[in-house]
Amino acid sequence: VGMKGIPSQHRSMVATVSENGQVVVWETSSSSSSGILIRFEENLLQDTDPDDVILSMDVDKQNLYLGSQSGRIFIFSLSSVLQNDEEQATVTMPLVKSFVAFTSREPGVSALCAAGVGSLGNNPSTAAPSSRTAATKTLIAGNVLGELKQWELIPTGGGSGLEYWPRMATQKLPDKAHVFETITDEESSPSATIRGILCIQQVVLTSTDHDLKFWDPKTGKVLYEMNGLEFAAARPSLAVARDSVLVTNGMDQYICVHDFAMDRVTSENAQSMIERDDE
């Protein structure tokens, strides 16, 4: 399903996830003859829903997120894995939250994005001690019919648990959209499936089989579209090289580099030329 590096300042760890729910966490280590240690290996669906299938995954500094074919999102804590560095240590990855993200005819969660700090809590590093509340996180998910949603994840139990908001499509998030304004159809073709999600400069980017869309997370509306791409891999590859540089596949065997800062410069120069011509 996917392979993602776990953000850490002092350790180099990678999580891999299979469709059946098998999760392996690897770490590079000079103490191993192969240079690699397996820190965790277990089927996380075995005790939750062994008949479900995992379609997507993402990680951040605290959690592993799995999106399933049934439309459910599973969130597992990485704390035990990250805190233990002994080769023979027994580590666990407990389930801290699961919820139904989509309820359409084909609800499968085909893409996930742990999108960083949310807006319901405040940042402990900048808020006054008397007014500090737990910092929330933003989680964005897309499904096989092209639906797109975002939630705030709220720490509970001193950080050992999580709750999510909104719980229903009719509920709202302050200052941003919960349900994005996608055009979905129960009979739509597989090309509408959201294959990847990325956040770049406070803009949400989604990819399908043939296009990229840029969304305003506050309004839930499309800002810009790039059509006519043909992703050669089974899943589009998206990466941010810098704040304004996007690297993707999508043109046969070539890697595409999209510099949006250059697009702005070109647009500004063109507008300046038009204004001079008008004079």
Side-chain angles (χ1 to χ4, degrees), residues 71-116:
R72 183 172 288 273
I73 293 174
F74 300 92
I75 306 174
F76 297 88
S77 173
L78 291 171
S79 59
S80 176
V81 177
L82 296 175
Q83 291 170 7
N84 286 282
D85 55 8
E86 298 178 9
E87 188 168 347
Q88 302 300 323
T90 300
V91 298
T92 60
M93 199 177 291
L95 178 69
V96 293
K97 193 66 184 178
S98 72
F99 63 94
V100 175
F102 300 100
T103 58
S104 51
R105 180 176 57 84
E106 295 185 53
V109 182
S110 54
L112 280 172
C113 178

Side-chain angles (χ1 to χ4, degrees), residues 175-190:
D175 302 323
K176 62 182 180 182
H178 167 43
V179 180
F180 287 67
E181 294 186 13
T182 57
I183 299 175
T184 60
D185 183 351
E186 293 288 330
E187 303 300 327
S188 59
S189 66

